[in-house]
């Protein structure tokens, strides 16, 4: 029976939003998974470490089917509508992949009549010809849309369609027969009757469904049970970045009923395998997990670091994540290289800590704004496209563990995109052409010993420790340090770092009694926790200047990343995105807070900035005159600032309230009134001015030398005079910008 055109019908359906996650309709830009909804990481018993010979049981009426922990997706085999199949190019590669898979026993294949108008099934049949029947497992599907066979034959339509599939496969029976989706017009009871007929007539050993939500799956299981046939499989989209079946309880229901949950698009149609980037997006026909690539960069950074530590491909880490979750991943393979990568998902297990890291970072998808964006400005004449392609790379040192955007694919894509001439430009005031001999210096990013270092081509640099996401160094182009660091600061993660710019959240100072934060340590947990590095982006300077003049580093923290002690002390669900932007003009730090739970929570936030100065007696703090402040050295009493230029000549610990954030706080020279630092804020209306002075400096074990108080002043932008209330699902942002004397 002909299935001509079905591959295009399938692609059209996907383009309109049909059946991509579970149920009939999906969003091409799905919401991220809320960590509170995720199941326990280890749903697969910890003593099980699947290798290529390990098997899972699919329950049948008369025959169970034993399958490997990975299923090979054959959608691309013969399909032109989505995968642009070319027999001369692709068939030899498929055969090479199959040869490698056979050697290790990964011979469980998923196909369907809709894939390549039946050509996928025909290719499978060719691959099976020289194999004994017990050496492979084949799973195909019933095309459930309303064609004449399905409309007029009702339950017999399933058997009729399966016989056509068997003819293309050259087989007498299939191991697994699935309903391709809940798009059938017939009642579930009628479809169940058809599936049972296929089993009873020896055409299928086990049966299942695809893209069914929990309620419909239960209905199908109950109807099949009336015929004595178990529901063996439910197949839906599932991966690190698309965990809706887990969120909605579908996977849990499958486990409870003995139904094997298969997850297709396990690598997000290549998005999670390092094949694509923001400069080389997947084809538009790849509609599953269709996040823009820039949104996935933080997740890919974490996956790559784990992959490097384990010496396996990123794809192997992603598939191992699904296996840990109790999901049987279905992954498309059409080359020997892909087969070798995906095989490496077996024989080991991600640790609980690695699982939490992946879950935590994936939960931040959608929290941040775009993590950097490059727009291209092309001058008169042709741009040197090699230079333009190189411009977008991350400049990394050999021992780095960061995700590099440097790949031949990215370069080729950019070369093509940037081969523009002046005739194509219609702007006035066009910039000068970039000379073909010129180079485009880029920021250098290094990652070592749990700290990120970024250096601009002009020499400015910043260092951020992952512990607390604490900025510990900021140097100008001349090498002059702008931040104070105690000589006894703990940089090993044993204590908060004394100096730099610690992040204070969700409470400032000692927590008040009888408050949600009362069990937390002073200044909360943000400065006491390990953050995740999310990635880097640089300025849009191509064609405007001679190099990138800024770099932004993004860091993330969520409640799943906290220690058990902190989670118990403050049991709210949140996400933090912290950005540190270095430019020639100064340093900016910004924090975004999101309430990811169902309960409102109160919080305070502060950027505890230690500025480095030559002599505390020779500086004044300006623009605080007539402002109200709380003096914490005088029992937190309220006062009004009387001096237009505050002199620090004793222990100072003041919270200046309700300031205009657009009016900068100025640290100036007492001798000539010249600016030393300027601090402007956005969303941070309070400013703390702090210096421990002589006695308190001596009493702090991690403050050294004792007279270092002379070399620092804290100008701390925050929201700490009261409490911010963040409602469920809402977010808040605040930032500071520091400009030094240049």
């Amino acid at each position: 029976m002909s299935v001509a055109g079905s591959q295009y019908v399938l692609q059209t359906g996907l383009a309109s939003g049909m059946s991509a996650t579970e149920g009939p309709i999906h969003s091409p830009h799905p919401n991220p998974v809320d960590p509170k909804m995720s199941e326990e990481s280890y749903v697969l018993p910890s003593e099980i470490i699947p290798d290529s010979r390990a098997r899972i049981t699919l329950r049948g009426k008369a025959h169970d089917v034993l399958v490997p922990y990975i299923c090979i997706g054959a959608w691309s085999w013969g399909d032109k509508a989505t995968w642009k199949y070319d027999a001369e190019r692709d068939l030899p590669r498929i055969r090479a992949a199959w040869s490698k898979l056979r050697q290790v026993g990964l011979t469980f294949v998923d196909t369907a009549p809709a894939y390549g108008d039946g050509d996928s099934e025909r290719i499978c049949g060719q691959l099976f010809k020289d194999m004994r029947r017990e050496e492979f497992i084949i799973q195909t599907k019933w095309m459930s849309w309303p064609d004449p066979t399905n409309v007029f034959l009702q339950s017999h339509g399933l058997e009729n369609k399966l016989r056509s599939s068997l003819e293309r496969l050259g087989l007498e029976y299939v191991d697994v027969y699935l309903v391709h989706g809940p798009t059938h017009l017939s009642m579930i009871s009628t479809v169940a009757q058809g599936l049972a007929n296929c089993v009873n007539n020896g055409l299928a050993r086990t049966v299942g469904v695809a893209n069914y939500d929990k309620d419909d799956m239960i209905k199908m299981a109950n109807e099949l049970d009336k015929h004595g046939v178990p529901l063996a499989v439910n197949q839906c989209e599932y991966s690190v970045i698309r965990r809706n079946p887990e969120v909605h309880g579908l996977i849990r229901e499958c486990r409870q009923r003995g139904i094997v949950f298969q997850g297709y698009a396990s690598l997000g149609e290549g998005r999670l395998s390092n094949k694509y980037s923001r400069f080389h997006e997947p084809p538009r026909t790849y509609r599953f997990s269709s996040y823009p690539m820039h949104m996935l960069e933080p997740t890919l950074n974490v996956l790559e670091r784990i992959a490097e530590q384990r010496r396996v491909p990123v794809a192997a880490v992603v598939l191992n994540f699904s296996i840990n979750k109790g999901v049987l991943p279905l992954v498309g393979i059409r080359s020997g290289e892909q087969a070798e990568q995906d095989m490496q998902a077996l024989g080991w297990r991600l640790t609980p800590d690695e699982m939490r890291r992946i879950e935590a970072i994936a939960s931040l998808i959608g929290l941040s704004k775009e993590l950097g964006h490059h727009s291209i400005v092309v001058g008169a004449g042709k741009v040197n496209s090699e230079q333009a392609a190189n411009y977008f790379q991350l400049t990394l040192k050999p021992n780095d563990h960061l995700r590099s955007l440097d790949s031949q694919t990215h370069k080729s894509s950019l070369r093509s995109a940037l081969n523009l001439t002046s005739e194509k430009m219609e702007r006035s005031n066009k910039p000068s052409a970039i000379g073909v001999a010129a180079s485009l210096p880029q920021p250098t990013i290094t990652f070592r010993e749990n700290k990120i270092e970024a250096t601009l081509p002009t020499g400015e640099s910043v260092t951020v420790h992952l512990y607390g996401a604490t900025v510990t160094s900021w140097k100008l182009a001349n090498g002059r340090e702008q931040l104070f660091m105690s000589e006894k600061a703990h940089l090993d993660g044993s204590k908060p770092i004394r100096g730099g710019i610690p992040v204070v959240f969700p409470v400032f100072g000692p927590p008040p009694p009888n408050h949600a934060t009362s069990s937390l340590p002073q200044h909360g947990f943000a400065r006491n926790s390990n953050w995740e590095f999310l990635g880097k982006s640089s300025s849009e300077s191509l064609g405007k200047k001679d190099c990138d003049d800024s770099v932004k580093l993004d860091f993330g923290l969520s409640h799943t990343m906290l220690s058990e002690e902190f989670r118990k002390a403050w049991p709210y669900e949140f996400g933090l995105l912290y950005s540190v932007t270095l430019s020639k003009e100064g340093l900016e730090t910004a924090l975004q807070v999101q309430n990811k739970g169902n309960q409102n929570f109160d919080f305070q936030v502060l950027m505890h900035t230690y500025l480095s100065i030559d002599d505390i007696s020779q500086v004044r703090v300006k623009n605080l005159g007539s402002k109200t402040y709380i003096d914490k050295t005088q029992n937190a009493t309220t006062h009004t600032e009387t001096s237009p230029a505050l002199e620090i000549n004793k222990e100072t610990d003041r919270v200046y309230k309700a300031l205009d954030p657009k009016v900068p706080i100025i640290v100036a020279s007492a001798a000539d009134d010249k600016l030393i630092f300027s601090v402007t804020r956005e969303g941070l209306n309070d400013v703390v001015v702090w210096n421990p002075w002589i006695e308190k400096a001596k009493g702090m074990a991690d403050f050294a030398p004792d007279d270092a108080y002379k070399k620092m002043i804290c100008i701390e932008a925050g929201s700490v005079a009261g409490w911010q209330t963040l409602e469920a699902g809402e977010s808040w942002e605040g930032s500071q910008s520091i400009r030094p004397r240049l």
Side-chain angles (χ1 to χ4, degrees):
M1 180 175 293
S2 172
V3 288
S6 58
Q7 60 182 312
Y8 297 99
V9 175
L10 177 61
Q11 179 55 225
T12 301
L14 294 175
S16 66
M18 179 187 71
S19 184
T21 303
E22 56 174 273
I25 299 296
H26 80 290
S27 165
H29 300 292
N31 291 324
V33 174
D34 191 328
K36 73 177 186 297
M37 300 298 292
S38 71
E39 301 291 313
E40 294 181 1
S41 294
Y42 267 65
V43 297
L44 191 66
S46 58
E47 67 272 13
I48 298 177
I49 303 178
D51 59 19
S52 62
R53 301 293 174 178
R55 293 295 182 262
I56 300 172
T57 300
L58 306 184
R59 297 180 305 132
K61 181 177 182 179
H63 303 277
D64 291 341
V65 176
L66 302 180
V67 300
Y69 275 77
I70 292 177
C71 180
I72 309 307
W75 182 9
S76 63
W77 300 1
D79 192 279
K80 297 178 181 178
T82 298
W83 301 98
K84 312 306 178 189
Y85 175 79
D86 178 89
E88 183 177 351
R89 177 195 64 204
D90 294 328
L91 188 55
R93 298 168 62 201
I94 292 169
R95 290 187 181 278
W98 184 245
S99 176
K100 292 180 181 294
L101 294 166
R102 283 186 64 179
Q103 291 174 19
V104 296
L106 294 180
T107 55
F108 178 21
V109 182
D110 173 90
T111 184
Y115 301 164
D117 294 354
D119 280 346
S120 176
E121 291 179 325
R122 295 184 184 95
I123 291 170
C124 289
Q126 294 175 32
L127 298 178
F128 298 156
K129 276 185 177 179
D130 64 341
M131 299 178 68
R132 298 192 307 274
R133 184 61 184 86
E134 64 271 17
E135 290 182 320
F136 62 88
I137 305 100
I138 183 66
Q139 172 175 282
T140 193
K141 306 179 185 75
W142 170 53
M143 293 170 53
S144 54
W145 43 61
D147 63 8
T149 300
N150 290 329
V151 171
F152 294 110
L153 295 182
Q154 293 291 307
S155 63
H156 296 290
L158 283 86
E159 183 177 346
N160 185 291
K161 295 281 189 177
L162 179 51
R163 291 187 185 278
S164 297
S165 288
L166 290 171
E167 183 178 346
R168 288 186 290 272
L169 289 163
L171 300 175
E172 295 180 355
Y173 68 89
V174 295
D175 299 282
V176 193
Y177 193 38
L178 305 183
V179 178
H180 207 156
T183 56
H184 45 79
L185 298 181
S186 302
M187 294 187 299
I188 286 178
S189 59
T190 302
V191 176
Q193 175 68 66
L195 290 173
N197 290 343
C198 293
V199 172
N200 293 332
N201 292 329
L203 304 179
R205 292 199 162 178
T206 64
V207 294
V209 293
N211 302 304
Y212 270 51
D213 63 19
K214 183 169 66 175
D215 292 341
D216 282 348
M217 181 189 74
I218 292 172
K219 291 177 184 177
M220 178 63 79
N222 291 339
E223 290 297 328
L224 283 171
D225 189 57
K226 296 176 182 178
H227 302 281
V229 176
L231 180 66
V233 169
N234 191 1
Q235 182 190 98
C236 299
E237 184 183 4
Y238 182 89
S239 71
V240 166
I241 56 174
R242 285 295 286 266
R243 290 163 52 201
N244 288 359
E246 186 180 3
V247 168
H248 298 154
L250 179 60
I251 296 177
R252 181 175 60 246
E253 189 69 28
C254 285
R255 289 203 304 272
Q256 292 172 348
R257 291 175 172 268
I259 299 168
V260 172
F261 182 85
Q262 296 179 2
Y264 64 77
S266 296
L267 299 179
E269 294 194 318
R271 291 172 177 85
L272 296 174
S273 66
N274 263 356
K275 185 175 182 179
Y276 301 107
S277 76
R278 67 164 66 210
F279 308 120
H280 178 52
E281 294 279 352
R284 293 182 63 186
T285 53
Y286 294 11
R287 301 186 186 277
F288 297 135
S289 304
S290 53
Y291 289 107
M293 286 304 300
H294 73 265
M295 293 178 66
L296 302 183
E297 287 174 358
T299 301
L300 288 168
N301 282 329
V302 173
L303 293 170
E304 281 204 356
R305 289 208 290 280
I306 293 173
E308 289 173 0
Q309 291 162 1
R310 288 191 166 272
R311 300 181 183 276
V312 297
V314 171
V317 174
V318 175
L319 295 176
N320 196 277
F321 177 91
S322 291
I323 292 170
N324 271 267
K325 285 289 188 177
V327 174
L328 194 160
L330 189 154
V331 58
I333 293 178
R334 50 177 171 165
S335 72
E337 180 183 4
Q338 290 176 345
E340 290 177 352
Q341 288 184 354
D342 297 342
M343 289 175 192
Q344 296 180 61
L346 298 173
W348 58 282
R349 293 283 297 271
L350 287 163
T351 66
D353 179 65
E354 289 169 330
M355 292 290 289
R356 283 193 292 269
R357 287 171 61 194
I358 295 170
E359 287 187 314
I361 198 65
S363 75
L364 293 174
I365 296 173
L367 168 62
S368 67
K369 296 180 179 178
E370 183 173 343
L371 300 180
H373 175 72
H374 302 280
S375 65
I376 303 165
V377 182
V378 184
K382 286 190 176 181
V383 174
N384 182 337
S385 55
E386 178 69 33
Q387 296 166 2
N390 289 336
Y391 166 77
F392 289 93
Q393 300 172 32
L394 285 176
T395 304
L396 302 177
K397 295 185 178 179
N399 61 342
D400 289 344
H401 300 289
L402 300 181
R403 178 168 181 264
S404 174
L405 300 181
D406 178 15
S407 77
Q408 196 61 39
T409 304
H410 305 157
K411 288 184 180 180
S412 299
S413 176
L414 287 166
R415 289 191 189 103
S416 174
L418 295 174
N419 190 22
L420 304 176
T421 62
S422 58
E423 286 76 12
K424 297 181 182 179
M425 306 297 293
E426 298 181 355
R427 303 191 317 274
S428 59
N429 301 318
K430 299 173 186 174
S432 302
I434 301 174
V436 295
S439 62
L440 293 172
Q442 306 155 57
T444 299
I445 311 294
T446 60
F447 179 27
R448 61 167 68 91
E449 298 176 353
N450 290 318
K451 62 184 178 182
I452 310 295
E453 299 175 357
T455 304
L456 297 181
T458 46
E460 295 83 0
S461 67
V462 67
T463 301
V464 185
H465 275 67
L466 292 183
Y467 187 72
T470 305
V471 180
T472 54
S473 175
W474 166 33
K475 294 180 180 179
L476 302 183
N478 60 13
R480 183 179 177 87
E481 179 61 65
Q482 302 300 292
L483 299 177
F484 167 81
M485 281 289 294
S486 167
E487 292 180 2
K488 290 186 178 180
H490 294 265
L491 301 178
D492 59 358
S494 60
K495 291 185 64 177
I497 296 172
R498 175 71 67 184
I501 310 179
V503 178
V504 173
F505 176 90
V507 60
F508 169 65
N514 303 316
H515 189 268
T517 60
S518 60
S519 297
L520 292 175
Q522 175 167 302
H523 293 336
F525 52 70
R527 64 180 190 149
N528 302 52
S529 298
N530 287 306
W531 292 57
E532 194 72 60
F533 178 54
L534 304 184
K536 162 265 187 192
S537 56
S538 54
S539 63
E540 305 175 2
S541 61
L542 181 59
K544 298 178 183 178
K545 302 178 182 179
D546 58 358
C547 63
D548 274 351
D549 58 3
S550 73
V551 62
K552 180 161 74 77
L553 308 175
D554 291 295
F555 303 85
L557 180 70
S558 71
H559 78 279
T560 60
M561 299 167 65
L562 298 181
S563 67
E564 183 177 355
E565 176 188 0
F566 286 151
R567 287 200 301 271
K568 288 181 178 178
W570 202 70
Y572 297 98
E573 293 150 5
F574 69 92
L576 301 182
L577 175 72
Y578 184 54
S579 299
V580 177
T581 303
L582 172 69
S583 68
K584 293 190 293 185
E585 291 75 27
L587 187 74
E588 178 179 320
T589 61
L591 184 69
Q592 183 181 133
V593 183
Q594 187 176 56
N595 185 340
K596 300 178 74 65
N598 295 322
Q599 294 178 284
N600 299 349
F601 61 71
D602 295 337
F603 72 94
Q604 296 174 325
V605 64
L606 182 88
M607 297 174 188
H608 199 313
T609 307
Y610 290 74
L611 296 173
S612 176
I613 55 177
D614 292 332
D615 184 350
I616 189 65
S617 68
Q618 297 302 311
V619 302
R620 302 291 183 267
V621 184
K622 303 177 66 176
N623 291 342
L624 295 174
S626 75
K627 305 303 181 185
T628 300
Y629 68 90
I630 298 170
D631 194 332
K632 299 178 74 174
T633 68
Q634 298 186 41
N635 298 317
T637 51
T638 301
H639 305 264
T640 300
E641 182 59 64
T642 58
S643 173
L646 176 65
E647 178 182 358
I648 308 298
N649 53 21
K650 59 182 178 180
E651 180 186 350
T652 302
D653 192 355
R654 300 179 178 183
V655 180
Y656 289 85
K657 304 190 300 180
L659 304 179
D660 183 347
K662 293 183 174 58
V663 176
I665 304 302
I666 302 294
V667 179
S669 167
D672 56 15
D673 202 36
K674 288 185 177 180
L675 180 144
I676 302 175
F677 292 103
S678 168
V679 183
T680 55
R681 293 94 55 221
E682 187 170 332
L684 301 173
N685 297 338
D686 305 324
V687 170
V688 175
V689 179
W690 182 74
N691 185 287
W693 212 246
I694 301 170
E695 294 305 319
K696 192 159 189 174
K698 290 180 180 179
M700 293 187 291
D702 60 349
F703 191 91
D706 287 346
D707 64 352
Y709 70 90
K710 298 177 181 178
K711 300 293 185 179
M712 53 77 62
I713 184 170
C714 282
I715 304 295
E716 309 166 22
S719 179
V720 296
W723 294 91
Q724 294 275 354
T725 298
L726 197 59
E727 296 184 357
E730 296 299 316
S731 62
W732 172 95
E733 295 182 53
S735 65
Q736 69 169 351
S737 180
I738 310 172
R739 295 290 183 264
R741 176 192 293 177
L742 298 176

